[in-house]
Amino acid sequence: MNLLDTIQETIARHRLIPEGKDIVVGVSGGADSVALLRALHMLGLPCSIAHLNHQLRRDESNADERFVRELAHELDLPISVTSVNVRELANSTNLSIEMAARQARHDFFATFEGSVIALAHHADDQVETFILKLARGAGTDGLSGMNHIQRLGPIQLIRPMLDIPRATIIAWLDENDFDWREDSSNTDEAILRNKVRHSILPALETSLNPTIRAAILRSMKILRDE
């Protein structure tokens, strides 16, 4: 799979970028969002960067922000940065940390009126979402996963990498010697998505079906079509 070609084909096939719309790329500093930003830049698509400092990991969060600012300088791209104490937001709204972070991101994205927000969700995110939704007893809508285009009130989200496995993304970054930041919380299996990623999916691949990710993606496509 050629990452650049796949992204370009996905943008064209799903008409992800309406004419006259600015592209704002949500960049955390992690591998996925860095790959998306660099790919769009290499494809010659004009874009800007949005970075939200969640203040969840103290010095690490600030280092992520510095990294993204330096990346914006390297690529000569406009950048908007805001900071939200997600832990305080969670306490004040009785939300989980994950849901409070999601709310903070959506509030931030809503400030980019008239733009599309490009997010770096990929095929492995889809598979993990399927298992999480299945465990909660979701129906067809939940099990069909994320869409390439999603509208949330005034926000239009696009996901140009939704068909690309994460292994392909990491390989592309390595081949091009592109750096990214590792989020230490991604190894914390107290977070359910991390448990699915690091324990449950590998166990299913070993004991049930070595190609279970592809099988789940096929089932999700059938559900979306139906």
Side-chain angles (χ1 to χ4, degrees):
M1 177 182 289
N2 183 295
L3 185 133
L4 291 179
D5 287 347
T6 302
I7 289 176
Q8 193 168 42
E9 289 166 6
T10 299
I11 290 172
R13 183 169 69 254
H14 296 280
R15 300 178 181 177
L16 297 188
I17 306 171
E19 187 174 350
K21 292 281 188 179
D22 296 324
I23 309 168
V24 178
V25 186
V27 182
S28 66
D32 307 329
S33 62
V34 168
L36 176 60
L37 176 67
R38 286 194 175 275
L40 294 177
H41 184 259
M42 291 171 72
L43 289 169
L45 296 170
C47 52
S48 62
I49 298 171
H51 175 77
L52 176 65
N53 185 333
H54 296 77
Q55 298 184 24
L56 286 172
R57 293 175 291 116
R58 298 184 182 180
D59 293 343
E60 282 189 48
S61 294
N62 293 331
D64 290 346
E65 180 181 327
R66 287 194 299 273
F67 174 85
V68 176
R69 287 185 183 276
E70 290 167 3
L71 182 58
H73 178 74
E74 175 193 338
L75 300 179
D76 193 25
L77 294 176
I79 181 170
S80 298
V81 176
T82 195
S83 186
V84 175
N85 190 320
V86 168
R87 203 174 301 281
E88 286 185 4
L89 177 63
N91 290 335
S92 66
T93 55
N94 291 320
L95 293 171
S96 67
I97 292 291
E98 184 179 8
M99 291 307 296
R102 184 173 182 268
Q103 178 180 309
R105 287 193 296 273
H106 287 175
D107 290 345
F108 181 36
F109 293 152
T111 65
F112 298 96
E113 189 174 353
S115 302
V116 293
I117 311 298
L119 303 179
H121 294 119
H122 48 73
D124 288 46
D125 290 325
Q126 285 280 61
V127 172
E128 293 161 10
T129 297
F130 178 91
I131 291 175
L132 289 168
K133 296 282 190 179
L134 182 67
R136 295 167 187 158
T140 303
D141 285 346
L143 295 177
S144 62
M146 294 176 280
N147 294 314
H148 290 86
I149 298 177
Q150 181 181 9
R151 289 178 175 84
L152 297 172
I155 311 171
Q156 181 172 323
L157 308 177
I158 63 171
R159 299 182 173 94
M161 298 202 304
L162 202 53
D163 302 320
I164 302 175
R166 191 165 195 268
T168 300
I169 295 169
I170 297 299
W172 183 78
L173 289 168
D174 286 339
E175 287 166 8
N176 288 279
D177 291 325
F178 292 145
D179 293 329
W180 68 88
R181 293 277 301 168
E182 289 287 356
D183 183 341
S184 61
S185 68
N186 285 340
T187 61
D188 181 4
E189 293 198 21
I191 300 170
L192 282 179
R193 183 172 289 274
N194 290 341
K195 189 173 185 65
V196 170
R197 180 178 303 158
H198 299 301
S199 294
I200 295 173
L201 267 171
L204 291 174
E205 286 173 318
T206 300
S207 61
L208 188 62
N209 179 0
T211 61
I212 195 164
R213 295 171 196 261
I216 289 173
L217 289 170
R218 283 197 301 274
S219 294
M220 295 177 82
K221 183 180 185 307
I222 291 168
L223 290 169
R224 281 194 298 276
D225 290 344
E226 290 180 349

